[in-house]
């Protein structure tokens, strides 16, 4: 019997190259009024995918900007027609988003129409989440073999709506059940070559990662109750603030550790298992340190630009006409915003991706040698709905 071999993943991307790439993409996206972002996202993904390797073989991203752009246009046309039909229906029953309401009843009707319009988009938001993952898998290769995902976006959307309603009705208590079953629905439809993934585990086990969420909520409620009952303003303010901070950390902890649990209970073909051990503390520190560095840089640059503005307004001697200074000032602020976005990718997004990759291990990796190529998945669209609904911005 051969020995089971473990293969650790590794991420080799660097901050400098991805900062330069992200900045270039941001500038070209601005100059093309947003059109280049489809090509830019593909370029960034190719860099990130190629920086991740498993057992010495790098991943490959084959998606293109053109297919993403065409998918976006198709989704926009469909959504425009769909929302037009929804608005006609709302107008027919006396509700409209158009015009300025003149009475309280009109304002209430307009607010109701707005909420109903948003709710009518929820199935498409969930549909887009499934299709976005399906597209990324269909355009990802390892050892030259494609990943893939079966059709099932509408099934996911309606199941997700049911889970969300159940989670809301139970005040979040059944969130672990929602997380597990929605991930299982996706995972059980994922493929690598001709071999299927399977999600194992129990949804009840996700309550352990959620404990800090419950503690944060308890501290908030305790602070409010104690502050009101004892008429102590300090408790009324201090404990809810502490609870909110704890709750924020708890949400991050749940996202990180639920990912670790679900990944560690996935299998491929019943032979290859996985182990994921990302640390919540590392993720939080990456956010904190990266946020501080970016915040300080923005504050310093913003202060210098503000000084230029004050110098111009107060009429202090300058070799350049005020209009020219104002143009440079505007360009400076735009550059600052673009630089902050690129720095976020380099100092926060990529380090977190690197941490997830570096703490991932495949178990019994030699079983992958028997996996064969799958037929190209031509049914996976290019994240059109995800981009049109502004939920496709993540790497």
């Amino acid at each position: 019997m051969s020995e089971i071999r473990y293969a650790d993943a590794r991420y080799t991307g660097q901050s400098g190259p991805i900062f330069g790439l992200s900045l270039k993409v941001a500038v070209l996206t601005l100059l093309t009024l947003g059109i280049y972002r489809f090509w830019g996202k593909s370029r960034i993904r190719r860099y990130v995918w190629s920086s991740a390797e498993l057992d010495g073989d790098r991943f490959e991203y084959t998606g293109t900007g053109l297919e993403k752009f065409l998918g976006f246009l198709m989704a926009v046309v469909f959504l425009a027609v769909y929302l037009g039909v929804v608005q006609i229906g709302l107008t027919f029953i006396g509700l409209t988003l158009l015009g300025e309401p003149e009475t309280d009843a009109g304002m209430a009707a307009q607010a109701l129409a707005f909420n109903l319009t948003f709710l009518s988009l929820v199935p498409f938001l969930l549909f887009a989440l499934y299709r976005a993952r399906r597209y990324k898998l269909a355009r990802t290769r390892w050892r030259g073999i494609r990943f893939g995902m079966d059709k099932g976006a509408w099934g996911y959307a309606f199941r997700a709506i049911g889970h969300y309603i159940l989670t809301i009705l139970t005040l979040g208590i059944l969130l672990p059940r929602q997380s597990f079953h929605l991930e299982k629905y996706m995972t059980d439809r994922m493929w690598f070559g001709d071999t299927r993934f399977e999600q194992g585990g129990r949804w009840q086990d996700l309550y352990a990662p959620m404990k800090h969420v419950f503690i944060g909520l308890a501290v908030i409620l305790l602070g409010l109750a104690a502050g009101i009952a004892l008429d102590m303003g300090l408790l009324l303010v201090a404990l809810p603030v502490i609870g909110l901070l704890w709750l924020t950390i708890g949400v991050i902890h749940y996202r990180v550790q639920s990912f670790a649990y679900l990944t560690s209970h996935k299998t491929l073909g019943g032979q290859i298992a996985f182990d994921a051990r990302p640390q919540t503390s590392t993720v939080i520190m990456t956010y904190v340190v990266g946020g501080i560095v970016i915040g300080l840089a923005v504050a310093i640059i913003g202060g210098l630009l503000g000084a230029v503005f004050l110098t111009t307004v107060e009429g202090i001697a300058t070799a350049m006409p005020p209009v020219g200074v104002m143009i440079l000032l505007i360009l400076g602020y735009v550059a600052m915003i673009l630089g902050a976005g690129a720095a976020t990718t380099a100092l926060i997004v990529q380090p977190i991706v690197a941490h997830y990759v570096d703490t991932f291990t495949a178990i019994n990796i030699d079983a992958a040698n028997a996996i064969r190529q799958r037929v190209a998945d031509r049914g996976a669209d290019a994240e059109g709905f995800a981009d049109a609904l502004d939920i496709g911005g993540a790497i």
Side-chain angles (χ1 to χ4, degrees):
M1 183 175 181
S2 60
E3 182 180 353
I4 293 178
R5 190 165 67 87
Y6 291 68
D8 294 327
R10 188 168 70 99
Y11 189 84
T12 60
Q14 300 295 320
S15 297
I18 200 169
F19 174 79
L21 176 59
S22 299
L23 186 59
K24 182 178 180 180
V25 167
V27 172
L28 290 175
T29 299
L30 178 66
L31 294 178
T32 59
L33 303 179
I35 294 178
Y36 186 76
R37 79 186 185 97
F38 303 101
W39 283 264
K41 187 189 297 184
S42 295
R43 291 186 62 183
I44 292 175
R45 282 182 181 169
R46 278 196 291 273
Y47 178 86
V48 173
W49 263 240
S50 65
S51 297
E53 64 177 51
L54 178 64
D55 199 31
D57 292 294
R58 294 182 180 274
F59 288 83
E60 179 186 3
Y61 179 76
T62 62
T64 66
L66 180 60
E67 64 184 6
K68 289 179 65 60
F69 179 62
L70 295 177
F72 170 79
L73 292 180
M74 292 176 61
V76 166
V77 171
F78 176 84
L79 288 173
V81 174
Y82 172 74
L83 289 176
V85 172
V86 170
Q87 184 57 41
I88 290 174
L90 291 174
T91 303
F92 178 77
I93 61 176
L95 304 174
T96 181
L97 293 174
L98 307 176
E100 186 70 25
E102 299 179 355
T103 64
D104 291 342
M107 293 178 61
Q110 191 174 76
L112 179 60
F114 176 83
N115 288 314
L116 290 176
T117 301
F118 172 76
L119 290 176
S120 70
L121 285 176
V122 169
F124 291 100
L125 290 168
L126 299 169
F127 173 89
L129 286 173
Y130 188 95
R131 290 302 290 254
R133 183 186 286 197
R134 187 181 178 206
Y135 171 75
K136 282 183 279 192
L137 285 169
R139 301 300 182 268
T140 299
R141 296 186 183 192
W142 181 65
R143 293 183 175 178
I145 297 178
R146 303 181 190 91
F147 288 81
M149 194 171 186
D150 293 335
K151 295 179 180 180
W154 284 119
Y156 176 84
F158 292 120
R159 282 171 174 79
I161 290 173
H163 280 292
Y164 287 151
I165 292 174
L166 192 59
T167 299
I168 292 172
L169 291 177
T170 59
L171 302 179
I173 293 176
L174 289 183
L175 177 61
R177 186 178 188 276
Q178 170 189 310
S179 300
F180 178 84
H181 284 290
L182 292 183
E183 180 61 25
K184 180 173 175 59
Y185 182 87
M186 285 192 176
T187 301
D188 290 351
R189 286 159 179 78
M190 290 165 44
W191 295 77
F192 175 60
D194 59 359
T195 307
R196 185 190 294 272
F197 285 89
E198 183 179 354
Q199 179 67 60
R202 301 166 60 251
W203 67 268
Q204 294 89 342
D205 293 339
L206 291 180
Y207 277 111
M210 201 175 174
K211 62 183 179 182
H212 291 292
V213 173
F214 292 132
I215 293 174
L217 290 173
V219 172
I220 292 174
L221 295 176
L222 178 62
L224 293 174
I228 295 173
L230 302 176
D231 194 22
M232 296 179 64
L234 182 61
L235 281 179
L236 193 60
V237 174
L239 283 182
V241 170
I242 294 173
L244 182 60
L245 178 61
W246 201 318
L247 176 62
T248 302
I249 295 174
V251 170
I252 297 174
H253 180 75
Y254 177 74
R255 289 175 61 87
V256 173
Q257 297 308 316
S258 63
F259 169 85
Y261 176 85
L262 292 168
T263 301
S264 298
H265 285 79
K266 286 179 171 63
T267 56
L268 177 59
Q271 293 183 302
I272 301 175
F274 308 99
D275 183 45
R277 300 189 181 187
Q279 299 297 312
T280 304
S281 57
T282 301
V283 173
I284 291 176
M285 286 304 299
T286 302
Y287 275 116
V288 172
V289 174
I292 290 175
V293 172
I294 295 171
L296 287 174
V298 169
I300 293 172
I301 297 174
L304 293 175
L305 292 173
V308 172
F309 175 76
L310 291 176
T311 299
T312 304
V313 171
E314 294 173 1
I316 298 178
T318 177
M320 183 178 292
V323 174
V325 175
M326 291 300 296
I327 292 175
L328 288 179
L329 183 65
I330 293 173
L331 292 176
Y333 273 112
V334 171
M336 180 180 67
I337 294 172
L338 296 180
T344 299
T345 301
L347 299 179
I348 297 178
V349 177
Q350 181 174 252
I352 290 176
V353 171
H355 178 62
Y356 275 87
V357 173
D358 290 338
T359 55
F360 175 86
T361 300
I363 304 169
N364 193 28
I365 192 63
D366 289 332
N369 296 331
I371 296 176
R372 297 294 176 258
Q373 183 65 285
R374 68 180 275 109
V375 177
D377 186 358
R378 302 185 183 279
D381 64 19
E383 298 178 279
F385 281 100
D387 283 306
L389 295 169
D390 198 26
I391 62 172
I395 292 176

